[in-house]
Amino acid sequence: MPRIAGQIDETKTEAILEAALVLFAEKGASVSMDAIARTAGVSRQTLYNRFPSKLEIGRALATRRSDAISAPLRAGGDPETVLTAMASTLLEKICGDESRTSMRGVALMSPHAPDLARAIYDAGPAEGLRRLSAWLAEQDAKGLLVVPDPLAAAEMFAGMTLGHGHLRTMLGVPHPPFDREARARETAGRFVRAFSPTA
């Protein structure tokens, strides 16, 4: 069925992002826009219509991941349930097999393309922290948790959840076996108890 004029083919956008993810991991910031277009199977014009630069591609990749990780914050529920779901998603996205390529890609490009690395950080991890911080502030306002410094607490939660997981992923060091759901529950439970109004 032909597309309506002006309608964007999302499958092409996804193909571009997946191609960029693989190529960034292999070559860092040195990968060309032409190579991304070829790997995605799209024309240069299609690529540039959607993403005028590698910076915009990096930002889109980071936003996609941040949206997935922070989705539980929008789902509703009691603090422990929400944080358990977020911890589980964070562990899956950062310590899972698919994350190795993307995190190594960012590490490769950081020294050579600091603007691109910063855009990825701002749209991804920093945005995730901002969303979690805002959610924690809401829980504080409702009296469900006591969180005097929501941003510091958000960083603490991420650190508690991941431990050295992100470092192992970036360096290609195997993760020791662990039960993702059990770790997510334990992290969320300990965090909620630490910031409980009755603590």
Side-chain angles (χ1 to χ4, degrees):
M1 183 169 83
R3 291 196 312 276
I4 300 167
Q7 185 179 18
I8 293 176
D9 183 348
E10 288 302 326
T11 59
K12 289 183 179 178
T13 300
E14 283 302 307
I16 291 166
L17 293 176
E18 289 304 317
L21 191 63
V22 170
L23 292 172
F24 282 158
E26 290 175 357
K27 303 181 181 188
S30 67
V31 67
S32 69
M33 291 289 275
D34 283 349
I36 293 171
R38 276 195 310 275
T39 303
V42 301
S43 68
R44 291 178 78 247
Q45 188 61 47
T46 296
L47 173 61
Y48 281 100
N49 283 346
R50 286 165 172 75
F51 302 105
S53 69
K54 287 184 278 187
L55 189 144
E56 292 304 321
I57 294 173
R59 188 176 283 134
L61 285 168
T63 297
R64 185 172 69 170
R65 176 168 286 198
S66 179
D67 287 346
I69 290 171
S70 62
L73 301 178
R74 300 184 294 278
D78 64 275
E80 191 163 344
T81 298
V82 170
L83 291 172
T84 297
M86 185 170 186
S88 179
T89 306
L90 188 59
L91 287 165
E92 176 190 1
K93 294 295 181 186
I94 303 301
C95 299
D97 290 339
E98 71 177 43
S99 68
R100 287 191 181 154
T101 54
S102 60
M103 290 189 73
R104 278 199 210 148
V106 174
L108 274 174
M109 69 180 63
S110 295
H112 309 290
D115 290 346
L116 178 54
R118 183 57 190 249
I120 290 170
Y121 176 77
D122 285 342
E127 180 60 23
L129 284 177
R130 283 190 289 271
R131 292 177 186 179
L132 178 55
S133 175
W135 183 85
L136 289 170
E138 289 173 8
Q139 306 316 298
D140 181 88
K142 293 175 183 175
L144 298 174
L145 297 174
V146 178
V147 191
D149 187 342
L151 187 56
E155 285 205 32
M156 187 183 303
F157 179 76
M160 286 175 66
T161 301
L162 293 174
H164 275 202
H166 64 295
L167 295 175
R168 290 190 191 98
T169 296
M170 196 175 300
L171 297 171
V173 175
H175 295 282
F178 69 94
D179 182 328
R180 189 180 82 221
E181 295 305 324
R183 181 177 293 182
R185 285 193 301 273
E186 181 176 5
T187 300
R190 289 180 182 277
F191 185 89
V192 166
R193 287 194 295 276
F195 289 94
S196 167
T198 58

